[in-house]
Amino acid sequence: MVNAGVFYHQDFASHGVVILKNRVEPGFLALNPLIEAGLLKVFTPRITSEVEELLVRTHFEDHIHDVKKIGYHEVALLSAAGVIQGAEKLASGELKFAFCFVGTAGHHANYHSSWGFCYYNDVAMAVARLNRIGIKRIMVIDIDPHFGDGTRDLLGNDPDLIHINFYAEPFYDITLYEEYNDLNLNQALQNLDVCISAAGDDLFLSCLTSSLQYNWDCEFVIVIFGHDSHSEDYGNFYLSDQAYPEMARQIKKFAAHKPVLFVLSGGSNPDVARRVIPPLIEVFLDNAPGSDEE
Ligand SMILES: [Zn+2]
């Protein structure tokens, strides 16, 4: 039985935000061998009334109005719909692993506003959906090299949620977040920020190992995956192709048999998408060449 899924809509490539959209179709087409081998099932996201309702619960109406005005409402909502529907299929047990392509990103979107190719916070909307069906102890690991400020704003005070946030040097006011860091590291150890500017494979992977070593209590793992962390992409990490399957193995080991949802974030280089996404996904597939399932 296929228990891994990929969520993809052709509008992500045609109507997505300019800097991000060119990598979407190449990344998806590179999965064809896995799909044809029957290891990965493809799902097409749909905007439903529930998705619309999660949007107005997550974002202020003026922000939604602004996104409509600039023409990204449909594709941003469709992107969030894929993440929400991926989360639902993991929660129901239909899938064990899901990878969601998107046309816009989400982690810089807060209640009132957004920036950096993000419009609607897809992960915050999926967390709201999971909470509603009784899944509350969620870990969000953001390995995009830009600080997930929108996600921290929306989810940082949720006592049941853990937010591990990797980033390179800040170009916003970090003092805004110190309060969260002190509070959470000293009291609840609920959120962890890992600033590793210009990190290569060794530093990134060793920091990932140490950040997963805490005795985190969670039942569901969400990974915000930006391949702008690659040395040939635009973010300020300098990872090689080899870092991605190793990152996936660490997360798979940490998650044990808990559901894992990967959500695409930053990244613009089609070659990077084509090279790094399939090996990463293979790690999570039963009986695939890259799987280390015992
Ligand atoms: Zn990024």
Side-chain angles (χ1 to χ4, degrees), residues 186-214:
N186 295 339
Q187 295 179 13
L189 201 61
Q190 174 197 344
N191 297 322
L192 180 63
D193 293 335
V194 185
C195 182
I196 42 171
S197 299
D201 293 2
D202 290 349
L203 179 60
F204 171 76
L205 290 168
S206 67
C207 286
L208 182 62
T209 308
S210 19
S211 66
L212 295 176
Q213 272 171 359
Y214 291 97

Side-chain angles (χ1 to χ4, degrees), residues 144-146 228 266:
D144 183 295
H146 300 95
D228 47 341

Side-chain angles (χ1 to χ4, degrees), residues 129-137 219:
R129 176 71 184 114
L130 288 170
N131 285 173
R132 201 172 276 172
I133 50 184
I135 295 175
K136 296 203 171 3
R137 293 177 296 115
E219 57 188 320

Side-chain angles (χ1 to χ4, degrees), residues 41-284:
K41 200 170 167 186
V42 180
F43 297 90
T44 307
R46 274 185 328 116
I47 295 173
T48 62
S49 55
E50 178 146 49
V51 170
E52 304 256 16
E53 194 267 316
L54 287 163
L55 176 69
V56 299
R57 180 200 148 109
T58 306
H59 292 289
F60 187 50
E61 58 178 333
D62 287 2
H63 175 60
I64 297 169
H65 181 71
D66 289 346
V67 176
K68 284 181 175 167
K69 266 202 317 211
I70 57 172
Y72 283 125
H73 171 76
E74 293 286 339
V75 71
L77 194 57
L78 200 54
S79 300
V83 180
I84 292 162
Q85 284 148 18
E88 285 170 346
K89 292 206 181 290
L90 289 163
S92 73
E94 182 179 338
L95 297 177
K96 274 169 49 180
F97 171 82
F99 186 99
C100 300
F101 284 91
V102 292
T104 59
H107 74 159
H108 299 312
N110 64 29
Y111 183 64
H112 292 280
S113 64
S114 64
W115 65 284
F117 324 130
C118 298
Y119 299 96
Y120 298 145
N121 199 307
D122 41 18
V123 165
M125 289 167 67
V127 165
R129 176 71 184 114
L130 288 170
N131 285 173
R132 201 172 276 172
I133 50 184
I135 295 175
K136 296 203 171 3
R137 293 177 296 115
I138 299 165
M139 175 183 275
V140 177
I141 309 174
D142 187 340
I143 53 169
D144 183 295
H146 300 95
F147 193 96
D149 54 338
T151 309
R152 179 59 56 83
D153 280 350
L154 288 167
L155 302 175
N157 288 325
D158 177 345
D160 296 317
L161 183 135
I162 301 150
H163 184 211
I164 300 181
N165 196 28
F166 283 76
Y167 67 106
E169 87 275 14
F171 47 95
Y172 49 83
D173 185 2
I174 187 65
T175 55
L176 286 172
Y177 297 95
E178 280 174 2
E179 189 188 342
Y180 283 126
N181 292 340
D182 291 345
L183 175 74
N184 294 320
L185 285 173
N186 295 339
Q187 295 179 13
L189 201 61
Q190 174 197 344
N191 297 322
L192 180 63
D193 293 335
V194 185
C195 182
I196 42 171
S197 299
D201 293 2
D202 290 349
L203 179 60
F204 171 76
L205 290 168
S206 67
C207 286
L208 182 62
T209 308
S210 19
S211 66
L212 295 176
Q213 272 171 359
Y214 291 97
N215 193 21
W216 302 114
D217 175 27
C218 69
E219 57 188 320
F220 196 105
V221 178
I222 300 176
V223 180
I224 297 175
F225 171 65
H227 58 79
D228 47 341
S229 54
H230 194 283
S231 61
E232 295 166 37
D233 223 313
Y234 62 78
N236 195 15
F237 288 171
Y238 293 88
L239 305 187
S240 75
D241 290 13
Q242 287 71 39
Y244 296 87
E246 183 52 36
M247 171 269 291
R249 277 189 282 274
Q250 285 199 25
I251 291 170
K252 183 183 178 182
K253 188 172 168 212
F254 168 79
H257 296 289
K258 300 176 190 88
V260 177
L261 175 66
F262 265 67
V263 179
L264 193 56
S265 182
S268 67
N269 186 331
D271 289 328
V272 170
R274 203 181 278 133
R275 296 202 314 260
V276 305
I277 294 174
L280 177 167
I281 290 179
E282 277 184 41
V283 169
F284 290 93

